[in-house]
Amino acid sequence: MVKTKDKIILAAEKLFSEHGFEQTSLRQITSEADVNLASVNYHFGSKKSLIQAVMSRYQSVFMPALDEQLSRLAEHETYSTTDVLACITAPLIALRQVRIDGPVIYLRLLGFAYSEIQGHLRKFTMTHFGHVVQRFFEMIQQANPHLSRKTLFWRLHFSLGAMLFAQVSGQALREIALADFGEETQAEETFLKLLPFVAAGIAADDPESQI
Amino acid sequence: MVKTKDKIILAAEKLFSEHGFEQTSLRQITSEADVNLASVNYHFGSKKSLIQAVMSRYQSVFMPALDEQLSRLAEHETYSTTDVLACITAPLIALRQVRIDGPVIYLRLLGFAYSEIQGHLRKFTMTHFGHVVQRFFEMIQQANPHLSRKTLFWRLHFSLGAMLFAQVSGQALREIALADFGEETQAEETFLKLLPFVAAGIAADDPESQI
DNA sequence: GTCTATAGTATGATAGAC
DNA sequence: GTCTATCATACTATAGAC
């Protein structure tokens, strides 16, 4: 028999990833989970804590896995932007262990975590996994020595934005794509399509440094 | 003397662009505008109508201007991805006529219009300016005949996501950048940094069609 | 651990006096 | 057109019985 606490987590993940954190009420969650309204506060203390519990379930799998991929790649003498970006793929797929549709759920959660002003989530991530984020940044830098740190900073966030947008608006976009091209696009296919786009964008010449 | 209706519009634009549509209450708006709470409903009928009025004020300047830029470029025999993208710049700057910080405001509003599930906004835009959007898409296609329509569809949305994210999270990101590099980044500089990134991403080889 | 009942707060919208 | 007062509704959170 599934415990109440787990039922809440599962329902919360689903609804948060579909509608965002703020737009999802505890009533929707407890209703979807088929548990009592008060049980959220009993098990998690507050909505904020529930949000962190949901995110942490994925972060704690994804981040160490990413760290390991980066370590492995770092042993090579040289690597390309694409190589570094490719380190994301396996850890993302590993999220299937957490939940069958874990990869998609996590990316969508990430999107909302940024676009809504969930300051506590960013802080939470950086205190726990800041070194992984840092390392990722430095390896991208290493692969693109011709770019200034500032340019790289912005391009990485452009890339993040591209990915998050594709995930958050993914459902609507896939429906439009289906209507326009009569061809279905899988949620994970979107991510694969993203990689060459992002890799080219990051590695592009910097007009500033050409002056 | 500034009319109540205008005071509401000005305050709403500011707050919507800072916190999003759903996160901004009518009470915040009327308080910022220093008018009575009931006046929003008197002048606009509903919050939804106010949102559309705010967006439309910018769209009605931006979209025709973009259309004209595209027309001008279309007279050339050939044009690059960058050429098409560059058509956005002048119309964006023209939004200064609407408001001194119009360009930034509009981009941020656009970001929230997408990331929040403002279905009515997307519908509103497409019925009024769908042909401009369509034209833009086709000219990007023209500049990249080596790419499938599907790939282009996704890359354009990746680009949109990159831009919207940079704007919506712009304030926070600029603060981080300032702390990291001790160098300020202007809001409009962000947009200029975006263009080469996006141009390279869009025009990149498509792994699928290389098979 | 689970429930009901409810406190306390915020929202969008409106009726009606002026 | 502008105001006050208020309705109806939604939310998070908690106290207290079982």
Side-chain angles (χ1 to χ4, degrees):
Chain A
M1 176 226 171
V2 184
K3 294 229 166 68
T4 296
K5 194 170 176 176
D6 295 329
K7 287 207 272 186
I8 293 172
I9 283 268
L10 290 176
E13 283 174 2
K14 179 177 175 237
L15 293 173
F16 283 154
S17 77
E18 283 170 1
H19 310 116
F21 299 106
E22 323 229 349
Q23 296 298 322
T24 304
S25 70
L26 294 184
R27 279 171 175 77
Q28 288 174 274
I29 294 172
T30 52
S31 172
E32 166 90 22
D34 199 29
V35 300
N36 188 272
L37 172 60
S39 58
V40 171
N41 276 49
Y42 175 80
H43 285 285
F44 295 93
S46 69
K47 184 180 178 180
K48 197 163 146 179
S49 300
L50 173 60
I51 293 175
Q52 287 187 1
V54 164
M55 283 306 287
S56 148
R57 208 164 86 97
Y58 290 90
Q59 304 266 41
S60 64
V61 172
F62 177 80
M63 287 293 182
L66 172 60
D67 200 24
E68 201 202 312
Q69 290 290 322
L70 293 176
S71 294
R72 210 171 288 181
L73 181 61
E75 291 170 9
H76 292 64
E77 284 184 24
T78 62
Y79 36 84
S80 68
T81 305
T82 303
D83 293 334
V84 183
L85 290 175
C87 287
I88 298 175
T89 311
L92 206 57
I93 292 174
L95 293 177
R96 286 177 181 284
Q97 297 161 8
V98 177
R99 185 187 173 125
I100 181 68
D101 51 355
V104 176
I105 297 262
Y106 177 58
L107 289 177
R108 292 180 58 86
L109 290 175
L110 253 192
F112 285 115
Y114 263 91
S115 57
E116 298 178 19
I117 309 154
Q118 296 284 348
H120 64 107
L121 273 183
R122 187 176 291 183
K123 213 168 284 176
F124 183 84
T125 304
M126 289 313 279
T127 39
H128 286 76
F129 305 109
H131 61 285
V132 182
V133 176
Q134 182 73 14
R135 184 175 202 175
F136 181 79
F137 184 90
E138 276 162 14
M139 288 181 71
I140 289 279
Q141 170 84 73
Q142 193 76 21
N144 294 277
H146 62 296
L147 297 177
S148 71
R149 282 182 68 83
K150 189 179 171 185
T151 292
L152 220 47
F153 172 86
W154 282 104
R155 289 187 178 178
L156 277 176
H157 280 93
F158 294 154
S159 305
L160 187 59
M163 185 188 77
L164 299 182
F165 181 73
Q167 293 302 326
V168 171
S169 309
Q171 185 57 30
L173 291 181
R174 281 201 302 283
E175 281 166 18
I176 298 173
L178 177 60
D180 284 11
F181 313 124
E183 195 181 342
E184 278 209 53
T185 313
Q186 296 302 318
E188 307 196 356
E189 188 185 342
T190 307
F191 184 76
L192 292 179
K193 277 206 162 301
L194 181 74
L195 287 182
F197 172 88
V198 161
I202 290 177
D205 283 333
D206 188 353
E208 275 183 31
S209 57
Q210 282 182 341
I211 299 174
Chain B
M1 176 225 172
V2 184
K3 295 229 166 67
T4 296
K5 193 169 176 178
D6 294 329
K7 287 207 271 185
I8 294 172
I9 283 267
L10 289 176
E13 284 174 3
K14 178 178 177 237
L15 293 173
F16 283 154
S17 78
E18 282 170 3
H19 311 117
F21 299 105
E22 323 232 345
Q23 297 298 322
T24 303
S25 70
L26 294 184
R27 280 170 177 76
Q28 286 174 274
I29 294 172
T30 52
S31 171
E32 166 90 22
D34 198 31
V35 300
N36 188 272
L37 171 61
S39 58
V40 172
N41 276 49
Y42 176 79
H43 286 286
F44 295 93
S46 70
K47 184 180 179 181
K48 197 164 148 181
S49 301
L50 173 61
I51 294 175
Q52 288 187 0
V54 164
M55 284 305 288
S56 147
R57 208 163 87 97
Y58 290 90
Q59 304 266 41
S60 64
V61 172
F62 178 80
M63 287 293 182
L66 173 59
D67 200 25
E68 200 201 312
Q69 290 290 320
L70 293 177
S71 294
R72 211 171 287 184
L73 182 60
E75 290 171 8
H76 293 63
E77 284 183 22
T78 61
Y79 37 83
S80 69
T81 306
T82 303
D83 293 334
V84 182
L85 290 175
C87 287
I88 298 174
T89 311
L92 205 56
I93 291 175
L95 293 177
R96 286 178 181 283
Q97 297 161 9
V98 177
R99 186 187 172 124
I100 182 68
D101 51 354
V104 177
I105 297 261
Y106 176 59
L107 289 178
R108 293 180 59 88
L109 289 175
L110 254 190
F112 285 116
Y114 263 92
S115 57
E116 297 178 18
I117 309 154
Q118 295 286 347
H120 65 106
L121 273 184
R122 187 177 289 185
K123 212 169 286 174
F124 183 84
T125 303
M126 290 312 279
T127 38
H128 286 76
F129 304 109
H131 61 286
V132 182
V133 177
Q134 182 72 15
R135 184 173 202 177
F136 181 79
F137 184 90
E138 276 162 15
M139 287 181 71
I140 290 279
Q141 170 83 72
Q142 194 75 19
N144 295 278
H146 61 297
L147 297 176
S148 71
R149 284 181 68 82
K150 189 178 171 185
T151 292
L152 220 47
F153 172 87
W154 282 104
R155 289 187 178 179
L156 277 176
H157 281 92
F158 294 153
S159 305
L160 187 59
M163 183 187 77
L164 299 183
F165 181 74
Q167 293 302 326
V168 171
S169 308
Q171 185 57 30
L173 291 180
R174 279 200 301 283
E175 281 167 17
I176 298 172
L178 176 61
D180 284 12
F181 313 123
E183 195 180 343
E184 280 208 51
T185 313
Q186 296 303 317
E188 307 194 355
E189 189 186 342
T190 308
F191 184 75
L192 291 179
K193 277 205 162 303
L194 181 74
L195 287 182
F197 172 88
V198 161
I202 290 178
D205 283 334
D206 188 354
E208 275 184 30
S209 56
Q210 283 181 339
I211 299 174

